[in-house]
């Protein structure tokens, strides 16, 4: 089975060695052929264009679709992001590829990622939360599987708060926006669980 992981830096694995990013770990855990089609800084519009143009989609069985923060940080309206994500789902159907929605990890404040310094981060984060809720609705409306990375990070956060060990949650991030190696290991574990279920 061949799986496409299409997204931005959360999929590419910004700052993480290639063997330690979640798509690579997912391939090792499942024995699947996994293509990491994440690009740092990409938007959902870029994802849509790449998906339409890439010939490898002909040989793929499923795709995990995840993105949106970059659009919102650059000032795009939430409706544009929703339209692009919906179009990606439709493109998967057209190509006879099973779409899975990736629910992005929560943003952890303070964000220290330097490229966001000149952007309206508060607006982007608020819209990102609205996008997360909409993705759940989209999955429900079309009976789409979802890989809820947000939920698995929040589970660790809740456990850390109860135990008073906040460091265990902080260790999942490099800069409040991107996952660390530990975060990628957690993401791969959750993705593998969902893949096995379907």
């Amino acid at each position: 089975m061949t799986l496409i992981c299409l997204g931005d830096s959360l999929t590419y694995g910004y700052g993480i060695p290639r063997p330690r990013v979640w798509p690579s770990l997912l391939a090792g855990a499942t024995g699947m052929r996994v293509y990491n089609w994440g690009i740092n800084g990409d938007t959902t519009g870029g994802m849509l264009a790449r998906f339409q143009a890439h010939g490898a989609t002909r040989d793929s069985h499923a795709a995990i679709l995840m993105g949106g923060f970059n659009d919102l940080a650059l000032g795009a309206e939430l409706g544009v992001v929703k339209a692009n994500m919906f179009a990606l789902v439709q493109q998967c159907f057209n190509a006879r590829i099973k779409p899975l929605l990736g629910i992005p990890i929560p943003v952890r404040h303070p964000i220290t990622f330097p490229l966001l310094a000149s952007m309206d981060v508060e607006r982007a984060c608020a819209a990102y939360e609205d996008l997360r809720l909409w993705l759940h609705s989209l999955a429900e409306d079309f009976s789409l599987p979802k890989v809820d990375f947000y939920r698995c990070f929040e589970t660790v956060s809740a456990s850390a708060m109860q135990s008073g060990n906040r460091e265990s949650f902080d260790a999942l991030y490099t800069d409040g926006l991107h996952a660390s190696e530990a975060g990628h290991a957690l993401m791969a574990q959750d993705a593998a669980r969902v893949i096995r279920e379907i």
Side-chain angles (χ1 to χ4, degrees):
M1 185 173 176
T2 300
L3 172 72
I4 296 166
C5 297
L6 179 64
D8 51 28
S9 55
L10 292 182
T11 298
Y12 176 79
Y14 175 78
I16 304 299
R18 298 299 81 206
R20 307 303 302 166
V21 299
W22 70 264
S24 298
L25 297 173
L26 177 61
T30 61
M32 299 171 60
R33 180 183 293 114
V34 179
Y35 293 119
N36 186 342
W37 287 6
I39 291 182
N40 291 331
D42 204 8
T43 62
T44 54
M47 290 163 54
L48 181 59
R50 289 192 290 121
F51 185 88
Q52 291 170 333
H54 211 303
T57 55
R58 292 191 298 270
D59 304 319
S60 301
H61 302 94
I64 299 177
L65 312 170
M66 183 169 65
F69 187 85
N70 293 321
D71 306 62
L72 299 169
L74 291 169
E77 294 299 323
L78 180 58
V80 173
V81 180
K82 289 180 179 180
N84 287 336
M85 292 300 295
F86 184 76
L88 279 166
V89 169
Q90 293 299 321
Q91 288 292 323
C92 284
F93 287 144
N94 291 342
R96 303 190 189 286
I97 293 172
K98 186 174 189 65
L100 293 80
L101 294 180
I103 311 297
I105 65 175
V107 174
R108 181 186 64 79
H109 295 279
I111 303 171
T112 59
F113 184 55
L115 294 182
L116 294 181
S118 61
M119 300 178 184
D120 189 349
V121 176
E122 284 190 22
R123 174 197 169 276
C125 288
Y128 205 40
E129 175 63 12
D130 290 339
L131 175 63
R132 179 180 74 85
L133 298 175
W134 178 80
L135 289 170
H136 281 285
S137 297
L138 180 63
E140 184 175 341
D141 290 345
F142 287 87
S143 300
L144 302 176
K146 60 187 182 231
V147 185
D148 196 346
F149 297 123
Y150 186 100
R151 180 199 53 78
C152 68
F153 271 55
E154 283 292 277
T155 299
V156 173
S157 176
S159 175
M161 293 296 285
Q162 287 181 345
S163 66
N165 182 21
R166 182 71 185 177
E167 292 80 10
S168 62
F169 178 63
D170 293 343
L172 298 179
Y173 292 85
T174 58
D175 53 20
L177 186 63
H178 299 101
S180 65
E181 288 192 29
H184 277 268
L186 182 61
M187 294 170 77
Q189 178 183 337
D190 203 56
R193 176 187 60 78
V194 172
I195 292 293
R196 292 187 185 105
E197 288 176 356
I198 64 171

